[in-house]
Amino acid sequence: MCSRSSASSSALVAAQAKVLATLPEGLREHARVVSERVLLDAPGWFHAPAEVTQLATLAQGVWEQRRARIHYARGYRDPTTVERLVAPLGLVLKAGVWYVVAGVELSGRDGDIRTYRASRIRHAELEQETFARPDDFDLGPWWAGSAARFAASMLREEVTVRLSPRGLRALPHAVDPDAATAAIARAGPPDVDGWRELTVDVESVAVAAGQLTGLGGEVEALDPPELRTALASAGRALAERNAPR
């Protein structure tokens, strides 16, 4: 554990150093003092961060408001890349993963703002041409809204369950934390044993079955029927596999 977590921290520190080097001179010393006192160790345990080779170039484009021509991989298993001319508006570090928020030129203006995973940018080259940041663009609120829309697009189905008090406390660790928080806020009143019924937004019933299996006997599936069947099947398999020899 120590070696992997140390590697993750080292990679993060190296990435932060690259970003720091691109800061304007007036801000560099202030950022250095802050970084000596506050450390953001974003990756979780056992998480190996992806290599981000173009981070310094992208950060420079953000500070200098220069357009960047990037070659972006369609996917990790897809070797082909697409070329895009973008206006880098900001960098976001989310759970140890760097993202670039950039305007994409449409009809002569940066009318479409998109998010690119920095590790999938194989090459980035800054243009001499600069761009004007949109007056109404604020990175923090934009990212929060974008993340919420992405989560909503992923959680397309819902399941209804009963949870014990212990299961209720564990739910945010089993399913999407925001979905769990919203479900708990809408949950019905506890019964005489403290169990509560609630409906949770999930990616799919199959995914939910795998997630909720971790709650063991603290969860009862009510709807849809296939979720109850899946949990019962998982429970039987566990019991049979772990029966006394």
Side-chain angles (χ1 to χ4, degrees):
M1 181 178 72
C2 292
S3 61
R4 291 194 180 184
S5 62
S6 297
S8 296
S9 297
S10 298
L12 180 61
V13 170
Q16 289 173 328
K18 290 181 181 179
V19 175
L20 180 62
T22 67
L23 284 170
E25 187 65 35
L27 295 177
R28 196 173 302 164
E29 180 62 21
H30 175 71
R32 184 189 64 79
V33 172
V34 172
S35 67
E36 289 176 349
R37 291 160 174 79
V38 179
L39 173 64
L40 177 61
D41 189 4
W45 296 109
F46 307 108
H47 173 75
E51 184 179 5
V52 185
T53 61
Q54 307 300 309
L55 189 62
T57 301
L58 297 165
Q60 184 179 354
V62 171
W63 296 122
E64 298 179 3
Q65 294 183 206
R66 290 169 59 186
R67 297 189 187 278
R69 192 170 298 277
I70 64 173
H71 294 264
Y72 191 71
R74 295 181 182 275
Y76 289 110
R77 294 184 176 87
D78 187 345
T80 61
T81 62
V82 293
E83 183 177 305
R84 294 283 186 270
L85 182 62
V86 301
L89 298 172
L91 297 174
V92 176
L93 180 63
K94 171 70 172 177
V97 179
W98 285 98
Y99 296 91
V100 182
V101 178
V104 181
E105 185 172 320
L106 296 173
S107 302
R109 57 186 296 271
D110 299 310
D112 190 14
I113 297 177
R114 299 181 183 179
T115 302
Y116 297 91
R117 190 166 180 141
S119 61
R120 287 166 60 180
I121 297 178
R122 302 297 185 236
H123 180 71
E125 183 175 348
L126 295 182
E127 304 280 308
Q128 292 300 317
E129 180 188 3
T130 60
F131 63 89
R133 292 178 65 85
D135 294 334
D136 58 350
F137 177 77
D138 189 333
L139 182 60
W142 185 91
W143 177 262
S146 176
R149 289 190 295 273
F150 176 76
S153 69
M154 291 293 293
L155 305 178
R156 296 182 294 269
E157 299 186 36
E158 62 180 32
V159 298
T160 302
V161 296
R162 286 180 69 242
L163 291 172
S164 69
R166 179 181 295 180
L168 204 68
R169 291 191 297 270
L171 185 64
H173 303 288
V175 300
D176 179 84
D178 292 334
T181 300
I184 293 170
R186 301 189 303 261
D191 60 18
V192 293
D193 297 319
W195 286 60
R196 301 176 67 184
E197 181 179 321
L198 61 162
T199 299
V200 188
D201 293 326
V202 297
E203 184 176 343
S204 68
V205 173
V207 170
Q211 294 170 327
L212 295 173
T213 297
L215 299 182
E218 309 301 324
V219 59
E220 178 188 359
L222 301 179
D223 191 64
E226 53 265 36
L227 176 62
R228 191 177 183 92
T229 300
L231 290 184
S233 177
R236 285 192 298 270
L238 278 170
E240 292 171 2
R241 176 65 62 183
N242 294 280
R245 296 182 178 224

